[in-house]
Each structure stands twice: as structure tokens, then as C-alpha cells.
Amino acid sequence: LDFWKVPVGDPRRTRDGIYQEVLFNKTGMLIQLLLLDLCTFRGNWSTEAADGWVPPEGWVPSARYPSNDPNLTMLGSVQWQWLEERLRQPADVRIIGSSLPVLASFRGFAGLHAW
């Protein structure tokens, strides 16, 4: 955070994760920018391929495999709560920034772990 010159009073200095909200008011429109942290709280990758798992085209073999564990999360419970609270706030335009490609067509290593 020092490198980015984040102010001393910024909430990111007092909690885990670098997720944040930035509000802009342009020409009478409230724009809400929500920047998510999909790395700090991410559950662990599996070290083994699940039974019956077929690698997608272009898969690059590695020691990491997608997990079928329904209890894993990308955001963690605290960030999920923060996001839910922010989505309840009024905004004319809402933009959610993610470090994970949402519409990536390539599903190889870089497509699954691209931050």
C-alpha cells in the first residue's frame, strides 16, 4: 500500500484484502466502482484432478486443478458481506472490477489463474 501511496486512514490499511469502493459524481450521476480482491481470501486449488475430470482444450498441466468443494470461496465471508452492503447503496451506474477474467474463452492455466 505504501508503493501506491494509499493514505494512512484508508480502510485497506486496517483489514485483510485490498477490496475497495470508489464513488464518482459526474454530471449528477452517482457512479459506484467496486474493486474486488479475488486473491487474498481465495480457497486453495486441489492438488489432484477430480474423478472423471476432463481437461479443457488448451489445458496446461500443472500442480493445480479446479476444486469441486462447494465450501471454497473467492471473496471470503467478510468481503462478501462488504459487497452485499455496497450493492444495497444507491448508485446510477455500478461497475464491478475483478482480477479474474469473466469472459475468457481460453481455459488453460492462464484462464483459471490469471491475476
Side-chain angles (χ1 to χ4, degrees):
L1 296 174
D2 291 334
F3 176 81
W4 297 105
K5 297 179 176 47
V6 173
V8 173
D10 190 288
R12 291 171 291 171
R13 290 194 176 271
T14 60
R15 65 167 193 243
D16 290 333
I18 58 169
Y19 55 95
Q20 69 171 325
E21 173 187 47
V22 181
L23 298 171
F24 303 94
N25 196 336
K26 297 289 182 183
T27 63
M29 291 184 67
L30 180 61
I31 301 168
Q32 181 188 49
L33 174 62
L34 300 170
L35 300 171
L36 304 178
D37 179 347
L38 300 181
C39 191
T40 301
F41 308 101
R42 177 182 58 83
N44 292 327
W45 291 86
S46 177
T47 56
E48 297 178 2
D51 288 340
W53 183 75
V54 177
E57 183 179 342
W59 177 260
V60 177
S62 70
R64 299 179 181 162
Y65 296 91
S67 174
N68 292 330
D69 184 347
N71 297 312
L72 292 181
T73 178
M74 293 293 285
L75 296 180
S77 60
V78 173
Q79 188 176 186
W80 262 118
Q81 181 180 353
W82 171 86
L83 179 60
E84 289 174 354
E85 290 170 2
R86 295 306 177 277
L87 292 173
R88 287 188 197 104
Q89 302 302 314
D92 296 305
V93 176
R94 196 177 322 267
I95 302 167
I96 299 177
S98 165
S99 59
L100 189 69
V102 178
L103 300 174
S105 60
F106 174 67
R107 294 282 189 211
F109 181 75
L112 291 170
H113 187 83
W115 51 73

